[in-house]
Amino acid sequence: PPVFVAISPPQPPADLRVVVLDEETISASWEPPESVLDIESYFVHVREAGTVDAGWHSIRNSQKHDGRGRESPALRTHCQVRCLKANVKYEVRASARSAAGESSCCDSVFVAISPPQPPTSLKVSVLDDETISVSWRRPSSLLKIKSYTVYVHEAGAFEDKGSRFSFSSRKRVRRGAHSSSPRTHCQVRGLSRHVKYEVRVVAQSAAGESGCSRSVFVAILPPQAPTSVKASVLDEETVSVSWEAPKSSLGIDSYSVYVREAAGNSGERHNIRISSRKRGRRSTARRVLRTHCQ
C-alpha cells in the first residue's frame, strides 16, 4: 500500500526564556523543536508590547559553533538582543526554519528593563547627639545594584528646602565618597538636636533609580525624667536616694541628684553627679549606671 508523508515546516521552538543582561541587552534561549528536516536557522522576534505586527524586529540566528568559536553540527539555541530601551516592556518570541519553511512562533514572553524596587526594612537608630545609623535590605532588581542614596530632611519640609543630606553607599560614609561594593548601611552626621527628621533610601542600577523606600522618622531628644524616685533616712546626716532609669534614644551618660531644704526656693542646693564618663574623655565602653546614691 502507498505510504503518505508530508514535508512540513518544523514545530515552534519550545521553552523560550528571556534574561536581562544590562540596561539595553537581553538574552533569549530556547529548546530545539521537532522537525522532519534539519533546522537551518532560528529567528527571534522582538517588539514593544502592545504595538502592531509591523513593529516586530527579527534577528536571524544561523551560526553553528560550540561556544569556543569551533564549528558544531547543531545550531545555537540562544542569542542576545541589544539596543533596547529602559522602562519599556517588550514582547519576545521565536520561530524555526527548515528547507520546508518557517514554523509558527512560540508563545510570547514579556520582559522590561526596569529600575530596581525600593529598598525595604529601613531601620534608623540614634548613635550620639548629632549622628544616626541607617540600615536597609537590598531590593529585588533585574540588574546589579550600583549604589544607594540616603535622603534626610526635616520632617514636613519640602525636599528643596531645609536641611538635606545625600549619601551614596559607594562612598565611604562621608558625603559623596564611593566604595567598590554597595553597602546596605551608613551613618549620617551633622544633625541637630530637638529636630524631627524624615529618612528615606533609594537604589540605583544601570536601568535607573528606584522609588523611595517608606519613610522612617527620628529625632535626637534628651532623655525623659527618671521615675519612681525614693528617699530613705539612713542616719542623722545621710539619706539614700534611688530611681528608675528613664527612656532615652541614647545611652544615659550621667545622673544628677539635687538636694535642698524644703522650705523656700532659695536654700542651699547640693548636686551629686553619677557619671559613666572617664575624666577628660568619653568612656569607650557603655555600661549601666547606678540608679541610687547616698
Side-chain angles (χ1 to χ4, degrees), residues 148-189:
Y148 299 96
T149 302
V150 178
Y151 294 98
V152 181
H153 59 86
E154 293 183 19
F158 293 105
E159 291 189 23
D160 58 347
K161 296 180 180 179
S163 300
R164 180 174 175 173
F165 304 86
S166 175
F167 293 82
S168 170
S169 65
R170 290 174 30 174
K171 292 192 166 183
R172 295 174 54 178
V173 189
R174 287 197 317 265
R175 236 179 277 177
H178 282 105
S179 71
S180 58
S181 61
R183 295 165 302 169
T184 56
H185 61 87
C186 75
Q187 292 182 11
V188 182
R189 298 185 173 91

Side-chain angles (χ1 to χ4, degrees), residues 34 85 95 99 125 191 198:
E34 296 181 2
K85 294 180 287 187
S95 61
S125 58
L191 304 182
E198 182 179 2

Side-chain angles (χ1 to χ4, degrees), residues 140-155:
S140 60
S141 177
L142 296 172
L143 300 174
K144 181 181 178 180
I145 301 295
K146 289 186 172 182
S147 67
Y148 299 96
T149 302
V150 178
Y151 294 98
V152 181
H153 59 86
E154 293 183 19

Side-chain angles (χ1 to χ4, degrees), residues 255-259 269-274:
Y255 294 106
S256 292
V257 178
Y258 298 95
V259 182
R269 185 173 71 173
H270 301 278
N271 179 13
I272 302 172
R273 184 179 178 87
I274 301 174

Side-chain angles (χ1 to χ4, degrees), residues 41-59:
S41 60
Y42 293 104
F43 293 89
V44 175
H45 312 278
V46 182
R47 70 174 179 182
E48 292 187 19
T51 57
V52 297
D53 287 344
W56 287 107
H57 172 63
S58 298
I59 300 171

